[in-house]
Amino acid sequence: MHPVEIDSLTLQQDGRLNGAIRHLVLEEWHGADPAAIARAAAAMNRSLPLTIGIATTNPPVDLEPLLSATAWTLCGPHVDADAPQLVRVDDPWHTYGEIEDIAGRFPQTVIALGQLLRQTPMLDTLPGLAAEASTYSMLLGGKEFGAWSAARKPAQPARPTQRPLVSAARHGGLLSVVLDDPRRRNPLSFRLRDELFDVLEVAALDETVEQVELTGSGPIFCSGGDLSEFGTATDLVAAYLVRLHRAPWRLIDRVRDKVTVHTHGAAIGAGIEMAAFAGRITATADTFFQLPEVTMGLVPGAGGTVGVTRRIGRWRAAWMMVSGRRIDSATALHWGLVDELREA
């Protein structure tokens, strides 16, 4: 059994970080003294680096404090992975190496996300969104987002159009809302966000609206934030305030018991982030879900650290966010990210 280090993070003079993650082999703690387990869990909870658990056999019940203190635990295919702290993969050590590479390239982002996810599960919706927006805005001014933005091929800006990007229809007590920019795969652009906010505000203010159904036109539900608009904010404080004030996901949360979101094809970034606030989410069998923001030098900025975390726990949410891996609809159903699979 190895001691748990709490000071393995180093900060260089130029602000770069080393040691953003580390691993904990759970098998080495089988049969350990409960007091030692408690001390190790406490050390992990008060440290900045993320601790990734590795489990190749079923962790015994007495290791629950360690499981809870990890960012998440990677387990092999023969491990019972029903606990929310566990993520099953084919090869835990190989996968850890991939996460180590991401953390080596985006250490500031990974550390910021890890601390954020320890706050948002304990906060109400608005304080949680405020914490997320603060972290997002801070990272917009950071070197890691700056490097990603400078290296990427400029995204094609949207062609000006007068047609609405969100359509809505009222049928008695049902308000049907459609993300309607299929040519661009329904990205959450500034304009689409504002139109969606205005439509959902009706549901929040009008008590005769009994049900809200949100869908997306075209091949996928939502492709996430509009990449052509990333990094265009010149006033990060103003961007923070707008992100809070004009947040459609905050309205979805307010009337969550009325809202069903029907996803299909893909729900990437903001797509699944805002959907997660709904009382019910459906998906077709071919739908996948992905949170790719960390490898852009950002954290989710459309409520994901609040809504997704509430649905699947902070451990699996952290896995989705740091790894950026796609989650298929069957896994999403098993984890509780969606509530029902439906026919295409």
Side-chain angles (χ1 to χ4, degrees):
M1 183 171 62
H2 300 294
V4 175
E5 298 179 4
I6 64 171
D7 58 354
S8 58
L9 183 70
T10 58
L11 178 64
Q12 299 181 22
Q13 289 185 351
D14 62 359
R16 289 182 299 164
L17 293 169
N18 291 326
I21 69 165
R22 63 209 173 174
H23 64 268
L24 182 78
V25 181
L26 289 219
E27 278 76 15
E28 295 181 357
W29 290 82
H30 287 199
D33 178 68
I37 292 173
R39 287 194 299 271
M44 291 156 59
N45 281 325
R46 65 175 178 261
S47 65
L48 282 176
L50 278 63
T51 302
I52 314 299
I54 305 290
T56 54
T57 60
N58 287 322
V61 175
D62 57 359
L63 294 190
E64 196 281 333
L66 291 182
L67 284 176
S68 293
T70 62
W72 71 84
T73 292
L74 298 169
C75 63
H78 303 297
V79 175
D80 179 4
D82 284 338
Q85 301 94 336
L86 300 178
V87 175
R88 182 183 287 133
V89 294
D90 292 335
D91 185 338
W93 284 111
H94 177 76
T95 302
Y96 178 80
E98 294 177 341
I99 298 299
E100 197 171 32
D101 177 68
I102 293 172
R105 290 184 289 123
F106 300 94
Q108 296 175 342
T109 307
V110 168
I111 291 290
L113 175 66
Q115 294 305 306
L116 180 62
L117 289 177
R118 290 188 179 275
Q119 300 175 51
T120 50
M122 299 182 290
L123 299 174
D124 291 335
T125 299
L126 184 56
L129 293 177
E132 178 185 280
S134 296
T135 303
Y136 187 93
S137 294
M138 174 187 71
L139 291 171
L140 278 176
K143 290 183 177 181
E144 292 173 3
F145 172 73
W148 173 83
S149 183
R152 73 185 178 98
K153 181 180 179 180
Q156 188 70 26
R159 295 178 182 174
T161 177
Q162 298 301 314
R163 61 181 296 274
L165 301 182
V166 175
S167 61
R170 182 78 181 266
H171 306 281
L174 171 64
L175 179 64
S176 297
V177 183
V178 182
L179 307 181
D180 199 14
D181 191 8
R183 181 177 58 83
R184 304 184 67 231
R185 302 197 169 191
N186 303 322
L188 194 75
S189 61
F190 298 153
R191 183 181 158 201
L192 187 147
R193 178 200 63 197
D194 286 344
E195 290 185 19
L196 181 60
F197 183 92
D198 291 339
V199 169
L200 292 176
E201 196 170 33
V202 174
L205 297 176
D206 186 348
E207 294 183 355
T208 66
V209 175
E210 299 171 349
Q211 293 178 278
V212 179
E213 293 196 351
L214 176 62
T215 59
S217 62
I220 71 172
F221 170 69
C222 178
S223 59
D226 189 338
L227 292 181
S228 69
E229 297 176 346
F230 273 41
T232 58
T234 56
D235 185 336
L236 298 185
V237 177
Y240 159 81
L241 293 173
V242 170
R243 187 167 292 278
L244 282 181
H245 179 61
R246 300 291 291 180
W249 37 96
R250 187 157 61 92
L251 295 177
I252 293 173
D253 179 69
R254 190 186 305 178
V255 292
R256 60 178 294 107
D257 292 339
K258 298 180 181 181
V259 181
T260 298
V261 177
H262 298 295
T263 64
H264 69 281
I268 302 170
I272 183 53
E273 292 177 60
M274 65 178 175
F277 286 98
R280 182 167 171 266
I281 305 174
T282 74
T284 55
D286 65 340
T287 309
F288 72 84
F289 306 88
Q290 187 177 20
L291 295 168
E293 291 90 346
V294 163
T295 53
M296 303 174 187
L298 298 171
V299 297
T305 64
V306 179
V308 173
T309 301
R310 287 176 180 173
R311 278 188 163 266
I312 66 176
R314 70 169 177 84
W315 303 274
R316 286 169 172 166
W319 156 252
M320 286 187 66
M321 294 171 191
V322 176
S323 72
R325 285 197 180 186
R326 294 182 176 185
I327 301 298
D328 61 30
S329 58
T331 301
L333 181 65
H334 178 67
W335 285 2
L337 188 58
V338 303
D339 303 294
E340 179 188 342
L341 298 186
R342 72 181 196 281
E343 294 294 329

